Amino acid sequence: IVETYRRIRNTLRFLLANLADYNPQTDHLPVEQWLEIDRYMLAHTEALQNELVAQYQRYEFHQIVHSLHNFCSEDLGGFYLDVLKDRLYTAGENSPARRSAQNALYHMTHALVRLMAPVLSFTAEEVWGVLTGKADDSVFLQTPYALAVIANSEALLQRWSRMRQLRAAVTKQLEEL
């Protein structure tokens, strides 16, 4: 349980750290201007959100924690954030590529903190305070996040699922070599 919590918490720390210089009022980009991988992760986050809302309605808290952990460790840490680091750290501060990533991270973080609140209440409250900067607000007064609509999200999810499978096979071969 400690390792599960640590993974989720470290993922949230990474997300918040990379949003430190992001202002949603001035740095917002329309979803159509995001890079495809960022649109994919937003569509993937929406699929997770739909899954978790259904699990909450069925009171499947163990499965919720498992799904959150897998998303943070496999989908974010093992794939997206690993790919994203170069863009976040080397692209120009206001470059479209970096801002695309930050827009995706902003929306994903809003969705994640709301989804985790019932099972990780203290951590969610702490993240909410940092994310919104509002000390008098609570994540528990929020509803699931209204994620942007991604055009052709099913096709996007299928294409990137295949790319991730290929990436896993190539990574395995590289490790063996």
Side-chain angles (χ1 to χ4, degrees):
I1 292 173
V2 170
E3 286 304 314
T4 298
Y5 175 71
R6 186 173 294 134
R7 168 53 88 178
I8 293 170
R9 184 174 184 275
N10 286 342
T11 300
L12 291 166
R13 290 180 64 184
F14 180 90
L15 295 172
L16 291 173
N18 283 286
L19 291 172
D21 68 334
Y22 175 79
N23 181 334
Q25 281 74 40
T26 59
D27 301 326
H28 170 77
L29 290 176
V31 174
E32 301 78 33
Q33 293 179 16
W34 295 8
L35 296 180
E36 185 177 273
I37 191 171
D38 299 325
R39 291 192 312 267
Y40 159 70
M41 280 310 297
L42 192 68
H44 193 55
T45 302
E46 181 181 34
L48 173 76
Q49 180 169 276
N50 294 338
E51 174 187 328
L52 291 184
V53 167
Q55 290 171 348
Y56 274 118
Q57 291 171 343
R58 293 188 305 266
Y59 300 100
E60 295 174 342
F61 298 110
H62 175 71
Q63 190 59 40
I64 292 162
V65 172
H66 181 71
S67 296
L68 282 169
H69 177 256
N70 280 347
F71 185 75
C72 288
S73 63
E74 301 299 323
D75 299 315
L76 291 179
F79 173 66
Y80 183 62
L81 301 180
D82 188 44
V83 171
L84 201 62
K85 286 177 187 173
D86 289 338
R87 194 168 15 134
L88 288 170
Y89 300 157
T90 62
E93 182 179 346
N94 292 309
S95 71
R98 185 166 184 272
R99 290 301 185 203
S100 172
Q102 286 183 307
N103 274 263
L105 293 178
Y106 176 80
H107 293 288
M108 290 167 46
T109 305
H110 264 278
L112 274 176
V113 71
R114 294 164 194 230
L115 290 168
M116 72 169 42
V119 293
L120 293 170
S121 55
F122 293 106
T123 302
E125 248 339 78
E126 183 180 2
V127 169
W128 186 256
V130 172
L131 185 61
T132 64
K134 298 177 182 175
D136 60 341
D137 193 15
S138 173
V139 69
F140 292 103
L141 300 174
Q142 309 305 312
T143 57
Y145 190 64
L147 291 161
V149 175
I150 303 294
N152 303 316
S153 63
E154 282 303 316
L156 193 62
L157 288 168
Q158 289 175 1
R159 182 171 50 252
W160 278 90
S161 176
R162 179 68 182 133
M163 281 193 240
R164 288 180 66 183
Q165 290 171 352
L166 290 171
R167 180 180 185 265
V170 169
T171 302
K172 182 179 179 187
Q173 290 294 316
L174 288 173
E175 286 177 9
E176 289 175 8
L177 292 173

